[in-house]
Amino acid sequence: MAEVFYEVNLSVNPEIDEAYGAALEPHVQAMLQFDGFKDAVITKRRLVDEAPDKEDDGKLLYTVLYTVASRECLQGYFDNHAAEMRKEMMDLFGPKDGVPQFTASRRIHEVKKRFAKA
């Protein structure tokens, strides 16, 4: 079984950034309790740093990259826990006046080959 990376990309309104960041860390810790989730990294960036020619809407961009033992373990998470975990963050930071305070997109990467420094 091949290891996978589960990438969650988040775009967060600046008004909730501090509270969102504070809630994200225990959320990630909870994710690591699920079968096969080995570790995670949280990164933070701004659109202007990646695409200086685009208008900066001020949103902060987080990526959480989870290492998961196998696609089967990740599917187990999707089948049994994903809806609850997503709802947890939506309950805290749901739309305000009909406008989302954050958005999320997700990708799955299968590890084809891992390299290490010799």
Side-chain angles (χ1 to χ4, degrees):
M1 288 189 282
E3 191 173 67
V4 296
F5 293 116
Y6 177 45
E7 175 185 317
V8 181
N9 293 295
L10 305 155
S11 176
V12 178
N13 289 348
E15 299 81 29
I16 66 163
D17 180 51
E18 190 173 319
Y20 194 90
L24 185 58
E25 289 187 25
H27 180 84
V28 169
Q29 288 292 342
M31 293 284 291
L32 293 176
Q33 303 311 303
F34 297 126
D35 185 43
F37 280 69
K38 298 167 134 185
D39 60 35
V41 175
I42 300 173
T43 66
K44 185 176 178 182
R45 63 199 196 282
R46 293 185 66 108
L47 179 62
V48 70
D49 295 332
E50 296 176 10
D53 57 326
K54 289 193 173 184
E55 183 177 335
D56 185 9
D57 62 4
K59 292 193 177 177
L60 297 152
L61 308 173
Y62 289 89
T63 296
V64 183
L65 187 63
Y66 299 96
T67 306
V68 184
S70 67
R71 182 68 182 241
E72 292 76 16
C73 288
L74 184 57
Q75 189 61 50
Y77 161 74
F78 290 147
D79 293 344
N80 301 304
H81 306 288
E84 178 183 335
M85 294 302 289
R86 292 173 186 175
K87 182 181 180 315
E88 177 183 288
M89 293 304 274
M90 285 302 296
D91 286 349
L92 292 172
F93 304 103
K96 185 176 180 180
D97 299 324
V99 178
Q101 296 189 76
F102 78 96
T103 58
S105 64
R106 297 158 184 89
R107 297 191 303 181
I108 300 166
H109 305 263
E110 289 188 17
V111 176
K112 181 176 177 182
K113 184 171 180 128
R114 185 180 289 272
F115 295 87
K117 186 175 181 177

